[in-house]
């Protein structure tokens, strides 16, 4: 797993483009991935498959002709999805396009701008502080054009058609724990399950997709088949040596929730169990109210909670072979437990809409399948990848959208997210104006 990660680390990945293809090609040396190409412009629920982005080179040169920022030294230096540029500008103007983390002056941040056409560079705050007031040559040799979104899928047929889904994302550039750890562990699990497939009751499906838009695209294409998914996990941040964190499925009482919690208690190691929250990774889409799949997420140190997260410090020295091995073994034990319990359990779906008898405030999400694209309505931040999580207003939108399935009252949502009801109502009004929510 560590060797595979070392090979994948230098590749500049994004939500589309050749970096993803190269990554999937290398994974295909281990498991026979089915690679899908979905054309730019295809409508997937409320979203559109974006234009494809590729980059050859990028740098900033000072007046002496020295490259003071060089994409070839670290692909984190480029604001992911930057449009091409080639011009000379003064420091003041350049600064508007530079991103740093003053609190972690040695580290380069990871930033994206998938849906707003702009350009930018990321650098350590130490390097930023050294910039003189002079002219700089900025050069980005990138291309944004109609192409496709690429993802990989691997299916292992078991005795039953019921499926266990493992999903990880392949859109982050040189970052290890988030999420090459998920990629290499998924590959290793897929390999070992293939070898043992005759003994498997369940069928297994592995997804290697770009985060968010990949999950939305996959769900949109495979909507008819998702009923087969009996259990699932989003695999991310599994390569460090931190304690395990389990984020429960949306309902919180599915078989996978019970099995993983029991397993963590039995391990006698410190661990954290979190209730589902509608921010995070692709569980946001899989557990949107229109799907509500029994999919949880297992991590060690959770995204957003370790200081290396979304910076150049999340590198090959931050993750370890022991960390990967421990995560892999834990997942194998979880799979064995799911297999052993194959006959006994069945997930019960509970899709009733609550009758509103008590004059409670209840909203209904009018776009329940995956998140609506808040960005195109001006309701989302334009630069992605913030270390300190998303802003409170977006958090409120996501809580309202995820739990407004008719079954939860405003009071119940408020209790879950710890945002006062009167605050939530203000955000609900904005969603109502945007035809994303209605009062029932
Ligand atoms: Zn991330």
């Amino acid at each position: 797993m560590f060797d595979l990660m070392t090979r994948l680390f230098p590749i500049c990945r994004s939500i589309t483009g050749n970096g993803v293809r190269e990554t999937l090609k290398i994974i295909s040396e281990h498991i026979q991935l089915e690679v899908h190409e979905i054309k730019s412009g295809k409508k997937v629920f409320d979203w559109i498959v974006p234009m494809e982005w590729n980059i050859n080179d990028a740098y900033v040169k000072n007046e002496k002709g020295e490259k003071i920022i060089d994409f070839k030294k670290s692909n984190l230096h480029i604001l992911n999805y930057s449009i091409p540029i080639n011009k000379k500008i003064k420091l003041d103007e350049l600064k508007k396009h530079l991103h740093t983390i003053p609190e972690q002056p040695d580290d380069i941040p990871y930033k994206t701008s998938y849906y707003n056409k702009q350009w930018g560079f990321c650098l350590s705050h130490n390097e930023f502080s050294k910039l003189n007031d002079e002219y700089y040559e900025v050069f980005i040799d990138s291309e944004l054009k109609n192409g496709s979104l690429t993802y990989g899928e691997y299916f292992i047929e078991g005795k039953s058609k019921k499926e266990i889904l493992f999903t990880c994302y392949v859109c982050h550039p040189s970052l290890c724990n988030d999420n090459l750890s998920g990629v290499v562990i998924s590959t290793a699990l897929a390999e070992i399950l293939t070898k043992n497939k005759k003994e498997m009751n369940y069928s297994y499906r592995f997804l290697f997709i770009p985060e968010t838009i990949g999950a939305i695209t996959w769900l949109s294409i495979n909507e008819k088949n998702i009923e087969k998914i009996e259990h699932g996990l989003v695999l991310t941040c599994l390569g460090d040596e931190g304690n395990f964190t389990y984020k429960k499925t949306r309902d919180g009482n599915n078989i996978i929730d019970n099995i993983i919690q029991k397993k963590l208690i039995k391990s006698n190691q410190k661990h954290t169990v979190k209730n589902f929250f509608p921010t995070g990774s692709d569980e946001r889409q899989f557990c949107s109210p229109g799907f509500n799949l029994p999919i949880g997420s297992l991590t060690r140190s959770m995204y957003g909670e370790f200081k290396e997260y979304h910076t150049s410090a999340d590198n090959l020295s931050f993750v370890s072979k022991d960390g990967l091995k421990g995560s892999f073994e834990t997942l194998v034990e979880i799979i064995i437990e799911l297999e052993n319990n194959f006959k006994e359990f069945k997930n019960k779906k509970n899709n009733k809409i609550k009758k509103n008898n008590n004059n409670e405030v209840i909203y209904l999400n009018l776009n329940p399948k995956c998140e609506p694209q808040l960005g195109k309505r001006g309701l989302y931040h334009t630069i992605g990848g913030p270390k300190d999580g998303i802003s409170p207003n977006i958090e409120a939108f996501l809580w309202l959208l995820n739990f407004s399935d008719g079954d939860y009252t405003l009071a119940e949502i408020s209790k879950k997210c710890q945002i006062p009801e009167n605050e939530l109502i203000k955000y609900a009004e904005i969603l109502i104006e945007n035809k994303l929510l209605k009062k029932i």
Side-chain angles (χ1 to χ4, degrees):
M1 290 186 283
F2 196 83
D3 287 349
L4 179 59
M5 190 186 277
T6 308
R7 270 184 81 194
L8 297 175
F9 182 71
I11 301 170
C12 182
R13 279 166 289 269
S14 184
I15 52 171
T16 62
N18 293 329
V20 179
R21 292 191 189 98
E22 203 182 328
T23 300
L24 298 180
K25 205 173 154 198
I26 293 172
I27 296 170
S28 297
E29 293 171 17
H30 299 267
I31 50 173
Q32 284 200 328
L33 274 187
E34 205 177 297
V35 176
H36 300 261
E37 298 277 353
I38 311 300
K39 283 209 167 71
S40 308
K42 182 180 166 67
K43 193 165 161 40
V44 287
F45 296 121
D46 191 47
W47 298 62
I48 293 200
V49 173
M51 293 215 268
E52 180 179 327
W53 182 75
N54 283 294
I55 181 160
N56 296 314
D57 197 10
Y59 55 76
V60 177
K61 270 185 189 171
N62 62 15
E63 281 177 2
K64 284 184 203 151
E66 298 161 336
K67 284 186 189 173
I68 52 142
I69 307 174
D70 187 356
F71 166 77
K72 294 213 161 134
K73 286 192 180 153
S74 165
N75 56 40
L76 294 176
H77 277 313
I78 194 77
L79 172 73
N80 205 293
Y81 252 70
S82 280
I83 54 171
I85 189 153
N86 184 6
K87 67 173 178 180
K88 282 200 172 154
I89 54 174
K90 281 215 76 159
L91 179 65
D92 282 351
E93 201 192 332
L94 175 64
K95 275 187 175 171
K96 291 178 200 157
H97 297 270
L98 297 182
H99 305 270
T100 71
I101 322 167
E103 314 81 65
Q104 281 170 244
D106 295 327
D107 304 329
I108 308 165
Y110 161 54
K111 296 277 177 188
T112 64
S113 183
Y114 304 134
Y115 300 101
N116 284 283
K117 283 186 185 172
Q118 45 181 311
W119 63 271
F121 286 90
C122 304
L123 71 164
S124 75
H125 201 73
N126 288 337
E127 291 299 317
F128 174 82
S129 310
K130 288 187 211 157
L131 296 177
N132 296 319
D133 192 8
E134 58 184 283
Y135 274 93
Y136 291 90
E137 182 187 337
V138 291
F139 176 73
I140 299 174
D141 177 11
S142 64
E143 191 182 41
L144 195 56
K145 58 161 194 193
N146 277 320
S148 57
L149 176 151
T150 313
Y151 71 84
E153 190 165 2
Y154 183 68
F155 182 69
I156 307 165
E157 198 175 348
K159 291 175 201 155
S160 159
K161 286 203 170 6
K162 287 181 182 173
E163 291 181 13
I164 299 181
L165 181 79
F166 289 103
T167 173
C168 65
Y169 42 97
V170 285
C171 52
H172 285 33
S174 294
L175 294 165
C176 281
N177 206 26
D178 176 32
N179 182 41
L180 284 176
S181 66
V183 174
V184 301
I185 285 177
S186 293
T187 308
L189 282 176
E191 260 188 301
I192 199 167
L193 287 169
T194 305
K195 282 184 194 141
N196 293 284
K197 73 174 174 187
K198 286 197 181 120
E199 286 147 56
M200 296 309 193
N201 291 310
Y202 285 108
S203 294
Y204 289 81
R205 193 176 294 280
F206 288 84
L207 301 181
F208 298 82
I209 52 181
E211 207 175 14
T212 307
I213 186 66
I216 294 166
T217 302
W218 187 85
L219 281 165
S220 152
I221 296 171
N222 295 280
E223 205 181 341
K224 277 189 204 137
N225 290 320
I226 58 157
E227 271 181 24
K228 293 180 193 157
I229 299 170
E230 195 82 354
H231 322 282
L233 283 176
V234 176
L235 299 180
T236 178
C237 300
L238 286 161
D240 68 324
E241 292 185 23
N243 297 316
F244 283 108
T245 304
Y246 177 59
K247 175 180 176 180
K248 292 198 232 173
T249 66
R250 183 173 176 272
D251 290 344
N253 58 358
N254 285 298
I255 294 155
I256 191 139
D257 298 310
N258 301 335
I259 282 179
I260 293 186
Q261 285 176 93
K262 269 191 209 153
K263 155 93 203 103
L264 291 175
I265 291 166
K266 228 173 118 190
S267 74
N268 273 331
Q269 284 169 359
K270 269 197 184 162
H271 62 269
T272 311
V273 174
K274 294 185 186 237
N275 286 328
F276 176 81
F277 49 90
T279 59
S281 184
D282 283 334
E283 66 279 7
R284 287 163 67 159
Q285 315 311 331
F286 292 109
C287 301
S288 56
F291 294 114
N292 194 22
L293 291 170
I295 292 182
S297 181
L298 188 69
T299 70
R300 283 180 173 268
S301 301
M302 196 172 228
Y303 41 77
E305 293 183 2
F306 55 98
K307 98 173 186 316
E308 293 80 1
Y309 171 73
H310 278 191
T311 76
S312 53
D314 182 1
N315 55 28
L316 290 162
S317 337
F318 177 60
V319 291
S320 75
K321 292 182 186 178
D322 281 346
L324 289 168
K325 185 169 176 272
S327 300
F328 176 77
E329 287 170 353
T330 300
L331 284 159
V332 169
E333 286 167 23
I334 291 165
I335 291 170
I336 292 171
E337 203 59 31
L338 288 167
E339 284 284 339
N340 288 343
N341 286 288
F342 175 72
K343 279 176 195 158
E344 274 179 62
F345 300 108
K346 234 186 164 155
N347 278 318
K348 277 191 208 119
K349 279 260 170 183
N350 175 16
N351 281 337
K352 63 174 192 309
I353 297 228
K354 197 180 265 180
K355 288 216 177 82
N356 193 355
N357 296 327
N358 306 324
N359 288 326
E360 301 247 37
V361 182
I362 302 181
Y363 297 109
L364 191 66
N365 180 342
L366 299 175
N367 184 94
K369 291 179 179 171
C370 300
E371 281 169 23
Q373 193 180 5
L374 296 174
K376 71 183 183 191
R377 300 173 173 90
L379 303 175
Y380 211 78
H381 42 65
T382 52
I383 300 269
K387 271 184 62 62
D388 42 4
I390 56 177
S391 57
N393 57 335
I394 297 169
E395 209 166 327
F397 289 144
L398 294 179
W399 278 102
L400 281 163
L401 288 167
N402 192 290
F403 284 99
S404 292
D405 57 356
D407 208 15
Y408 292 90
T409 65
L410 176 69
E412 286 167 332
I413 299 174
S414 167
K415 207 173 157 196
K416 272 182 183 290
C417 64
Q418 301 284 305
I419 303 171
E421 283 181 50
N422 55 352
E423 280 286 304
L424 279 177
I425 288 172
K426 280 190 243 161
Y427 293 112
E429 291 300 327
I430 299 172
L431 293 174
I432 290 169
E433 264 169 48
N434 281 276
K435 300 189 171 62
L436 293 172
L437 207 65
K438 73 169 185 186
K439 223 171 168 180
I440 54 173

